[in-house]
C-alpha cells in the first residue's frame, strides 16, 4: 500500500505544482522537480510517515526502476528524431556542434577546477577536476525534450537541438571514459590502456550494434500486428527489454564490456523510425502513454536532490565554478561551431543555452566514478548533485526562454500549452 500511495502522492503533487508554475511562465518540468523536493526526504518526508512522501534517500532509490524505464523511453523518443531525411540536412552540422560543445565544456571546467585545486587542495584534487570536467560534457535529454514537447516548439533551433543532445551524450560518454581512466591512472600511478581507450570504444560499438538489431526486430515484429493498441504494447515491450539488456555486464578476454542504455535505446529508435512506415503515428501514441511515467521521473529526480549540500560552503563554491564554466563551454562551443558550419543566426545565438540542463547521464557517470575513484567519489557526487539541482530547476526555464526568443515557441502555444500530459 505504501508504495502505491507514495507514487500517487508524487504524481498528484507534480501535477498540482504545474498549475502553480503555469501563471509564472515556468515549464512543467520545473513544477515536477519542485514537487519532488516538497514530497522528498527534506520536506514532507521529515514526518516519517510511510507512504506520505519519501522518508529517506533509500526510499527514493527504491523507485529507481521507474527512472530507468523513463530514461529508456526518453532515449528511444530522441532516437526517432534521427530520420534520414533530416540527417541529410543537419547530420554533419549536428555532429560538429555536439563535439565542440562537449569538448569546450570539458576543457573549461578542467582548467577552472585544476586551477582551484591549487588554491583549495583539501577540497578538490586533479583526479576530481578531470572527472568533473568529463561529467560537464553531458546534457540532459529528458528536460530538453519535455520543454520542446510541452510548448510544441518548431524551427531551426529545435530541429538542431534534439540530434545535438543525442550526439552530445555519446561524445560525453567517450570523454568521460578517457578522463576517468586518466584520473584513475593518476591515483594508482600507471596508465591503463584498456580502461582509457578500449573499454569505452567497446561499449559504444556494442551499444550501437545492439540498438540497431533491436530496432530492426521491432520494425519487423510490428508488421504482425494491425491493432494500434497491440502495436503500442509491442513497442513498450521492446523498450523495456532494451533497458534490461543495457544492464548486462560481461568480459571479452581482458576487456570489461557493457552497454550504454542511452546509446542503445537511441539507436533502436533511429533504426525503427527509418524502417517502419507508421512510426510517426505510433510515436504520437507512445508520447501520450508515457506522460505519467515522465512526470514521475522528474518528481523522483527532484526527491533525489540532497539539500544538505547547501550547508557545505566549499562544495557550493566549487559547484558554482563548475556551473559557470560548463555553461560558458556549452554556450560558446555550440555558438562558435554553429557559426563555422553556417547554421541559421538563431541557432548560433540560442542553441548553446538549450544545452545547459544536466541530470540523468551526469548522475549515472557519478555512480561509475564512485566505484572507480572511491577516495574522490563523495566530492564528485556532492558537486554533481549540487549542479544538477541548479541546472534542473533553472535549465528548463532557460530552454523555454531561448526557444521563445528564437521564435520557435509561439504566443498561442504558451497560452494553450497543457504540459506533457496536455492537462
Amino acid at each position: 500500500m505504501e508504495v502505491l500511495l507514495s507514487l500517487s502522492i508524487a504524481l498528484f503533487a507534480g501535477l498540482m505544482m504545474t498549475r502553480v508554475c503555469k501563471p509564472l511562465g515556468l515549464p512543467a518540468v520545473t513544477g515536477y522537480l519542485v514537487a519532488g523536493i516538497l514530497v522528498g526526504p527534506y520536506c514532507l518526508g521529515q514526518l516519517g510517515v510511510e507512504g506520505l512522501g519519501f522518508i529517506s534517500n533509500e526510499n527514493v532509490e527504491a523507485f529507481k526502476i521507474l527512472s530507468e524505464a523513463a530514461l529508456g523511453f526518453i532515449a528511444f523518443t530522441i532516437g526517432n528524431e534521427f530520420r534520414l531525411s533530416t540527417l541529410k540536412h543537419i547530420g554533419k552540422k549536428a555532429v560538429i556542434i555536439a563535439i565542440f560543445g562537449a569538448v569546450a565544456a570539458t576543457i573549461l571546467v578542467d582548467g577552472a577546477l585544476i586551477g582551484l585545486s591549487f588554491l583549495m587542495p583539501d577540497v578538490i584534487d586533479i583526479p576530481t577536476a578531470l572527472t568533473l570536467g568529463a561529467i560537464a560534457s553531458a546534457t540532459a535529454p529528458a528536460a530538453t525534450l519535455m520543454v520542446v514537447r510541452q510548448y510544441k516548439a518548431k524551427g531551426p533551433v529545435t530541429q538542431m537541438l534534439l540530434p545535438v543532445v543525442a550526439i552530445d551524450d555519446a561524445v560525453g560518454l567517450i570523454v568521460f571514459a578517457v578522463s576517468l581512466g586518466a584520473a584513475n591512472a593518476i591515483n594508482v600511478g600507471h596508465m591503463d590502456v584498456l580502461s582509457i581507450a578500449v573499454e569505452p570504444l567497446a561499449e559504444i560499438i556494442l551499444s550501437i550494434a545492439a540498438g540497431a538489431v533491436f530496432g530492426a526486430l521491432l520494425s519487423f515484429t510490428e508488421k504482425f500486428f494491425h491493432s494500434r493498441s497491440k502495436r503500442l504494447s509491442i513497442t513498450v515491450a521492446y523498450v523495456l527489454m532494451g533497458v534490461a539488456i543495457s544492464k548486462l555486464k560481461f568480459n571479452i578476454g581482458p576487456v570489461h564490456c557493457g552497454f550504454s542504455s542511452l546509446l542503445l535505446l537511441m539507436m533502436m529508435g533511429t533504426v525503427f523510425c527509418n524502417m517502419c512506415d507508421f512510426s510517426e503515428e505510433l510515436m504520437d501514441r507512445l508520447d501520450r502513454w508515457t506522460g505519467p511515467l515522465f512526470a514521475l521521473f522528474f518528481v523522483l529526480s527532484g526527491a533525489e536532490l540532497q539539500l544538505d549540500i547547501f550547508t557545505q560552503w566549499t562544495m557550493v563554491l566549487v559547484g558554482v565554478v563548475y556551473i559557470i564554466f560548463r555553461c560558458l563551454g556549452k554556450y560558446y562551443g555550440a555558438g562558435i561551431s554553429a557559426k563555422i558550419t553556417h547554421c541559421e543566426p538563431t541557432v548560433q545565438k540560442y542553441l548553446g543555452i538549450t544545452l545547459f540542463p544536466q541530470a540523468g547521464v551526469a548522475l549515472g557517470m557519478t555512480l561509475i566514478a564512485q566505484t572507480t575513484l572511491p577516495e574522490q567519489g563523495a566530492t564528485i557526487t556532492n558537486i554533481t548533485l549540487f549542479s544538477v539541482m541548479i541546472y534542473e530547476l533553472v535549465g528548463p526555464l532557460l530552454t523555454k526562454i531561448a526557444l521563445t526568443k528564437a521564435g520557435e515557441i509561439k504566443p498561442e502555444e504558451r497560452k494553450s500549452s497543457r504540459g506533457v500530459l496536455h492537462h
Side-chain angles (χ1 to χ4, degrees):
M1 183 191 80
E2 289 82 3
V3 172
L4 293 177
L5 184 59
S6 293
L7 289 177
S8 63
I9 289 176
L11 186 56
F12 180 78
L15 294 173
M16 290 299 101
M17 189 54 65
T18 62
R19 299 301 86 195
V20 176
C21 289
K22 186 180 178 182
L24 299 176
L26 298 173
V29 176
T30 303
Y32 293 135
L33 290 166
V34 172
I37 293 174
L38 294 177
V39 300
Y42 295 92
C43 293
L44 192 59
Q46 288 291 308
L47 297 177
V49 180
E50 289 279 355
L52 188 63
F54 304 103
I55 62 175
S56 66
N57 292 324
E58 291 73 20
N59 190 209
V60 180
E61 188 72 15
F63 295 92
K64 187 177 181 180
I65 187 172
L66 290 177
S67 297
E68 291 176 348
L71 277 173
F73 282 104
I74 289 166
F76 181 74
T77 301
I78 290 178
N80 269 268
E81 300 295 330
F82 285 83
R83 298 183 183 275
L84 288 178
S85 56
T86 303
L87 287 178
K88 289 177 182 177
H89 176 59
I90 65 170
K92 183 178 179 181
K93 295 180 179 179
V95 171
I96 293 173
I97 293 172
I99 292 174
F100 265 74
V103 173
T106 296
I107 291 174
L108 287 185
V109 171
D110 275 346
L113 294 186
I114 289 174
L116 201 60
S117 69
F118 290 104
L119 299 175
M120 305 170 64
D122 295 333
V123 178
I124 184 171
D125 56 18
I126 292 179
T128 301
L130 290 175
T131 305
L132 286 170
I135 293 173
S137 64
T139 306
T144 302
L145 179 66
M146 291 285 277
V147 173
V148 170
R149 292 280 189 243
Q150 178 183 355
Y151 295 103
K152 304 181 182 68
K154 291 181 181 179
V157 179
T158 304
Q159 189 179 34
M160 184 65 70
L161 170 60
L162 295 178
V164 166
V165 168
I167 298 169
D168 180 272
D169 283 322
V171 175
L173 289 170
I174 300 173
V175 173
F176 174 74
V178 173
S179 296
L180 186 63
N184 189 46
I186 293 174
N187 275 349
V188 300
H190 72 274
M191 301 298 287
D192 185 350
V193 177
L194 282 179
S195 63
I196 292 177
V198 179
E199 290 179 2
L201 184 62
E203 178 176 306
I204 293 166
I205 293 173
L206 288 172
S207 299
I208 292 175
V213 171
F214 273 95
L217 286 173
L218 172 57
S219 181
F220 176 74
T221 308
E222 293 282 9
K223 296 177 181 178
F224 292 97
F225 301 92
H226 303 287
S227 163
R228 290 181 177 178
S229 60
K230 288 183 174 63
R231 284 176 171 173
L232 175 63
S233 297
I234 198 68
T235 304
V236 171
Y238 265 90
V239 172
L240 294 178
M241 192 185 306
V243 174
I245 293 296
S246 70
K247 301 301 173 186
L248 292 177
K249 302 292 181 184
F250 52 93
N251 296 327
I252 300 178
V255 181
H256 300 291
C257 297
F259 298 99
S260 162
S261 61
L262 196 65
L263 288 178
L264 193 156
L265 271 300
M266 281 182 187
M267 192 62 187
M268 186 195 298
T270 299
V271 172
F272 173 65
C273 77
N274 285 289
M275 291 186 65
C276 183
D277 297 334
F278 47 84
S279 62
E280 288 192 45
E281 176 191 348
L282 195 55
M283 289 307 301
D284 182 63
R285 294 180 65 83
L286 185 66
D287 285 343
R288 297 175 185 274
W289 183 86
T290 53
L293 180 62
F294 288 177
L296 279 172
F297 167 75
F298 283 106
V299 174
L300 289 170
S301 296
E304 286 178 339
L305 299 178
Q306 299 182 16
L307 302 185
D308 56 359
I309 293 173
F310 285 112
T311 63
Q312 306 172 44
W313 73 267
T314 54
M315 290 298 172
V316 172
L317 176 60
V318 177
V320 169
V321 172
Y322 171 90
I323 290 170
I324 291 173
F325 282 87
R326 178 181 175 273
C327 288
L328 289 174
K330 289 291 182 182
Y331 182 78
Y332 287 105
I336 293 172
S337 57
K339 189 172 183 178
I340 291 173
T341 53
H342 306 292
C343 291
E344 289 83 349
T346 53
V347 176
Q348 298 176 28
K349 188 174 182 180
Y350 297 111
L351 180 62
I353 298 174
T354 65
L355 300 177
F356 288 173
Q358 188 177 45
V361 178
L363 294 176
M365 290 177 175
T366 63
L367 294 177
I368 299 172
Q370 285 178 346
T371 304
T372 308
L373 306 172
E375 295 179 9
Q376 293 92 355
T379 301
I380 293 169
T381 299
N382 285 336
I383 294 170
T384 304
L385 284 172
F386 170 77
S387 63
V388 164
M389 186 187 312
I390 304 301
Y391 282 130
E392 285 296 86
L393 292 175
V394 180
L397 176 60
L398 293 177
T399 299
K400 178 200 167 187
I401 292 172
L403 292 176
T404 301
K405 288 185 175 295
E408 300 187 14
I409 295 178
K410 307 301 180 185
E412 58 269 21
E413 295 293 352
R414 295 203 299 270
K415 292 178 182 178
S416 62
S417 174
R418 293 293 185 270
V420 291
L421 304 180
H422 304 288
H423 52 286

